[in-house]
Amino acid sequence: MQLPKLTPLQSRFAASFAASLLLLVLYLAFSNRHFAYAENADTITHDDHNHPLIIDRFLEEKVQYQDGYDAATDRPGTYEPEFPSIGRSILGRAPAPSAVQLANNLPAAMSIAPSDTQCFIFPQMALDKQPSLVTHALPPSQDEIDIRHVMDDQDTEYIGTELRRRQRSDHLLYLTLSVCGQPSSAISNPSAPPPPLELYISQAMNDECPGPNFAGQQGWLTADGGFTNYTNPTSGDSYFTVSAPQAPGFNGNYTYELTASIDAPFAFYEDLPGLFFVDSDQNSTFFVTNNLTTSNSRTLQDAWMQTGAPFTIFMHDANDVMITGLLRSYCGLNTSAQVRTMTDVEVGMTTVAGGLPKQQYYVKGLNKSTSYHAVMALPSNYSQTDIGMPGGGGVVWQDTLMSTKTGKTPCSAPLLRASSLRSIDPNCQLIYNLSFCDTVSYAVPANPSNSSFATMAELAQFYDNYTSQNFNYFAYSLEQIACNTTPEAQYSLATNCSNCFDAYKQWLCAVTIPRCMDFSSSKPYLQARNVNQPFIDGRPVPAGDPTFSDANKSVMYLNSSRVPRIDEVIRPGPYKELLPCIGLCYGLVQNCPAALGFACPLAGKGQNYSYGYVTNDSLTCNIPGAIWGVNAASGYGPSACSVWVGLVLATVVSVMGA
């Protein structure tokens, strides 16, 4: 067969193609073993941004690690090469085999027996995660952004309504330890709670598991009250150990939550008082918070009023010392406090007593003659639908110690910010939320056996209606004064009719609605009332008590109430009154026209049994709406035993003529 004759161009192409095929065959023949090596050898991913570690499973699926988790075989996202000739100090240290890896903003819920230790690591790779947004559900306390106790304000930036951490070469690590449960006492009346958990912190390469037996450099904290936290810059692996001390006399384990975050503390304890005790009766009590904002911005004040009472309350019998081991922990109080639901709590927002937003609490169902720890808290918003949310573990404020039994708690008592000043007889009942006398939130003369006032609302309505009717008579009289005229024609250049209205209303509410105290109290500033009536519980008159002498029974200020209608309609029996402050009367005289004829009784001539006097150490007279222990300048008083500044400072100054 004759081959086709090729042109010169085709001949050159065929020769080139044949040569190329020959070269390819020779290349593949000599290079085959190198491809086999590349296929079988392990690849080494270098520590750079072009070869990121795969950590999605660690961050998203490993929400919590329990005791059964084996970190040596189930530790995702790491590569540990082994070279016999190179020591671990050069390669970098692997976590201790028993260490639990923490993920950002994900609490590790653990149980630990006394005398045991548990180790944790927050790996460097978690620091490379994009910081999360810290969303504030509450308005700030000032016009500017309020990030106090949440993040270092030099490490944050404001983006819309959210806070984001600025990028930096190292990271702030926020670590929180909250004790949720503790061993139970082996005896019925222990003198102290179990010893607190201890937290050890280290960033040293040679400290796999810091703890009480480690001699190297490490930090050490105790979870006093069930909580501790740690904040520090870090750029590498961080190692922690929770150690449970020996607990002789107690049974069971501790339970706790340990949470690490690069965004914000997951939980927090605020070492300032949150609740301020106002008054109580036999089975209930009344608290308010401090001013939630001191801003003059109407927009900000309205924003707080529309939050719907965001703070909760915990209460527990103070005679049970076990609760002191959990007073600073949200999860601990939420598990163990006797009052931890809002079933018997009425809450609301109010601007009375100073005009600034506050939250108020009316707590029912308490035991009489009992002391309580009361704690304000911002509820935890952490849930399985919000996994990884920064700051979701709740905030707890310093507790307030109050009591429903006679006498004040000594000022040396720990954690004191407010004290009960009376025991609760049935003829003193708490009322609040009055329409006219809206600053009245205290116990008043009552009679539980009087069916006409079977509820608090009925009793409050009686006092409020009677007071407002009397105020109307005064308003008619003030209308005869030339109030709406030129300044030169007004009755005073220093005050006006509006100030007179306010001063008279506050004075009238204080004198028409007496603040009721236990008759058995021996406080010298209390005034006995209504000694001619029998006790409503049928008990006999105390033998030898000079208060019930025949001579006293003929004295009007002893044998009746300040307002006769109280004795006629309510019939409360004998009680003692915390007298109105004399400054209320002085303010009335100073702010109202002289033509109305107001005058205050003189000292030694009726003033001592009609009015009381302000002192710095305790509640010795009554100003409706004033709260002992609140400092109007800073928002907090250094002690309820040394400071008396009401939330109604401006009004108090006005009525006292300061």
Side-chain angles (χ1 to χ4, degrees):
M1 177 178 177
Q2 185 178 4
L3 295 174
K5 186 176 180 179
L6 300 176
T7 65
L9 180 62
Q10 292 173 333
S11 298
R12 286 194 295 270
F13 175 77
S16 298
F17 181 74
S20 298
L21 288 176
L22 180 60
L23 289 174
L24 179 61
V25 170
L26 292 174
Y27 177 78
L28 293 174
F30 287 102
S31 302
N32 186 53
R33 60 193 182 99
H34 294 287
F35 282 110
Y37 174 78
E39 180 182 357
N40 297 326
D42 291 336
T43 56
I44 299 176
T45 302
H46 296 282
D47 186 15
D48 61 34
H49 294 290
N50 296 319
H51 300 83
L53 293 174
I54 301 173
I55 58 175
D56 289 347
R57 184 165 64 94
F58 167 63
L59 291 177
E60 297 177 4
E61 296 179 6
K62 292 293 183 182
V63 176
Q64 296 179 0
Y65 296 131
Q66 303 298 331
D67 294 336
Y69 169 62
D70 185 355
T73 59
D74 192 18
R75 183 168 57 253
T78 61
Y79 173 74
E80 300 178 31
E82 295 292 340
F83 296 95
S85 61
I86 301 178
R88 175 62 63 183
S89 60
I90 297 178
L91 294 176
R93 180 170 58 85
S98 60
V100 175
Q101 293 196 46
L102 298 176
N104 190 42
N105 296 313
L106 298 178
M110 307 293 289
S111 176
I112 186 171
S115 303
D116 198 2
T117 59
Q118 293 172 342
C119 304
F120 301 84
I121 177 175
F122 191 67
Q124 179 183 4
M125 61 183 175
L127 301 176
D128 297 330
K129 179 180 181 289
Q130 175 66 29
S132 301
L133 293 175
V134 183
T135 303
H136 285 255
L138 299 179
S141 62
Q142 298 292 334
D143 296 327
E144 65 272 12
I145 302 306
D146 182 10
I147 55 175
R148 183 183 50 164
H149 306 309
V150 177
M151 303 181 74
D152 180 6
D153 56 4
Q154 296 182 353
D155 190 48
T156 59
E157 56 185 341
Y158 183 55
I159 304 176
T161 59
E162 299 170 316
L163 295 171
R164 185 193 293 274
R165 283 193 45 202
R166 295 192 181 100
Q167 298 295 323
R168 46 186 289 173
S169 58
D170 58 358
H171 300 262
L172 277 181
L173 175 62
Y174 303 90
L175 186 71
T176 58
L177 172 61
S178 299
V179 180
C180 304
Q182 56 189 353
S184 59
S185 175
I187 60 176
S188 57
N189 294 306
S191 59
L197 293 180
E198 299 169 348
L199 177 64
Y200 294 85
I201 306 106
S202 175
Q203 294 177 354
M205 293 294 294
N206 62 343
D207 187 2
E208 291 188 356
C209 193
N213 298 322
F214 180 73
Q217 185 177 4
Q218 62 183 7
W220 175 48
L221 299 167
T222 58
D224 295 323
F227 180 83
T228 191
N229 65 303
Y230 165 84
T231 303
N232 200 56
T234 184
S235 57
D237 294 343
S238 298
Y239 307 93
F240 318 106
T241 296
V242 174
S243 177
Q246 295 182 0
F250 295 91
N251 301 319
N253 292 351
Y254 296 87
T255 58
Y256 65 91
E257 291 181 350
L258 185 68
T259 313
S261 174
I262 61 172
D263 304 303
F266 185 74
F268 198 80
Y269 169 69
E270 174 66 271
D271 195 19
L272 289 170
L275 294 174
F276 294 92
F277 172 73
V278 179
D279 205 354
S280 58
D281 62 21
Q282 188 177 18
N283 301 113
S284 60
T285 186
F286 193 83
F287 297 97
V288 296
T289 66
N290 192 53
N291 293 326
L292 299 177
T293 177
T294 56
S295 171
N296 293 324
S297 168
R298 186 68 181 179
T299 300
L300 187 55
Q301 293 178 15
D302 290 344
W304 272 106
M305 293 301 294
Q306 295 169 10
T307 57
F311 301 98
T312 189
I313 187 173
F314 297 109
M315 295 187 69
H316 195 90
D317 188 343
N319 294 316
D320 179 12
V321 299
M322 293 289 289
I323 197 64
T324 60
L326 302 171
L327 282 176
R328 300 181 177 185
S329 168
Y330 181 88
C331 69
L333 290 169
N334 198 42
T335 301
S336 301
Q338 293 167 338
V339 178
R340 59 180 184 269
T341 67
M342 304 303 281
T343 303
D344 290 323
V345 182
E346 297 177 7
V347 297
M349 301 296 293
T350 180
T351 58
V352 301
L356 294 173
K358 291 171 283 291
Q359 184 171 327
Q360 63 186 23
Y361 304 80
Y362 174 61
V363 186
K364 302 174 290 184
L366 303 179
N367 296 325
K368 63 180 181 180
S369 302
T370 304
S371 298
Y372 286 92
H373 293 287
V375 178
M376 183 181 85
L378 184 64
S380 168
N381 59 2
Y382 177 79
S383 67
Q384 293 303 315
T385 60
D386 295 317
I387 292 176
M389 175 180 290
V395 181
V396 171
W397 276 258
Q398 187 184 84
D399 79 306
T400 294
L401 185 64
M402 55 80 58
S403 178
T404 56
K405 68 178 187 301
T406 303
K408 290 191 298 181
T409 304
C411 288
S412 59
L415 301 175
L416 176 68
R417 283 299 179 273
S419 304
S420 174
L421 302 176
R422 60 181 182 85
S423 65
I424 313 303
D425 278 353
N427 63 342
C428 291
Q429 184 175 345
L430 186 66
I431 61 173
Y432 77 104
N433 273 0
L434 280 67
S435 298
F436 179 71
C437 291
D438 53 0
T439 58
V440 170
S441 301
Y442 51 77
V444 298
N447 185 348
S449 61
N450 191 329
S451 59
S452 298
F453 307 102
T455 66
M456 181 189 70
E458 292 172 336
L459 183 65
Q461 186 178 24
F462 164 79
Y463 280 104
D464 204 39
N465 290 345
Y466 183 74
T467 306
S468 62
Q469 290 171 5
N470 282 275
F471 184 84
N472 290 335
Y473 303 144
F474 160 76
Y476 298 149
S477 299
L478 191 60
E479 288 177 356
Q480 311 307 313
I481 305 299
C483 292
N484 298 320
T485 185
T486 63
E488 295 80 7
Q490 290 183 1
Y491 67 89
S492 173
L493 296 177
T495 187
N496 53 46
C497 290
S498 295
N499 293 337
C500 178
F501 262 86
D502 294 339
Y504 186 84
K505 177 182 177 181
Q506 190 175 37
W507 171 84
L508 184 65
C509 290
V511 299
T512 309
I513 309 178
R515 187 160 184 165
C516 181
M517 311 296 276
D518 178 27
F519 191 85
S520 62
S521 176
S522 59
K523 297 295 183 292
Y525 47 80
L526 300 181
Q527 179 61 60
R529 301 291 193 194
N530 211 17
V531 298
N532 279 359
Q533 288 192 4
F535 287 105
I536 61 173
D537 59 0
R539 57 181 163 164
V541 172
D545 189 337
T547 305
F548 295 93
S549 65
D550 291 339
N552 284 345
K553 289 183 177 182
S554 62
V555 178
M556 180 174 293
Y557 70 83
L558 290 172
N559 65 21
S560 62
S561 296
R562 184 191 295 268
V563 178
R565 188 164 178 79
I566 295 175
D567 301 337
E568 298 167 0
V569 178
I570 298 178
R571 301 184 299 277
Y575 64 93
K576 287 188 177 179
E577 179 188 355
L578 181 66
L579 297 173
C581 295
I582 185 63
L584 296 176
C585 186
Y586 292 156
L588 178 63
V589 174
Q590 292 170 356
N591 283 286
C592 291
L596 295 179
F598 292 129
C600 299
L602 301 175
K605 296 185 177 180
Q607 187 181 107
N608 58 320
Y609 54 80
S610 297
Y611 294 97
Y613 307 92
V614 173
T615 62
N616 290 330
D617 61 343
S618 61
L619 179 63
T620 54
C621 65
N622 183 36
I623 297 179
I627 301 170
W628 264 242
V630 179
N631 187 302
S634 64
Y636 298 98
S639 171
C641 300
S642 62
V643 172
W644 182 89
V645 183
L647 290 175
V648 288
L649 180 63
T651 306
V652 172
V653 170
S654 173
V655 300
M656 297 190 69

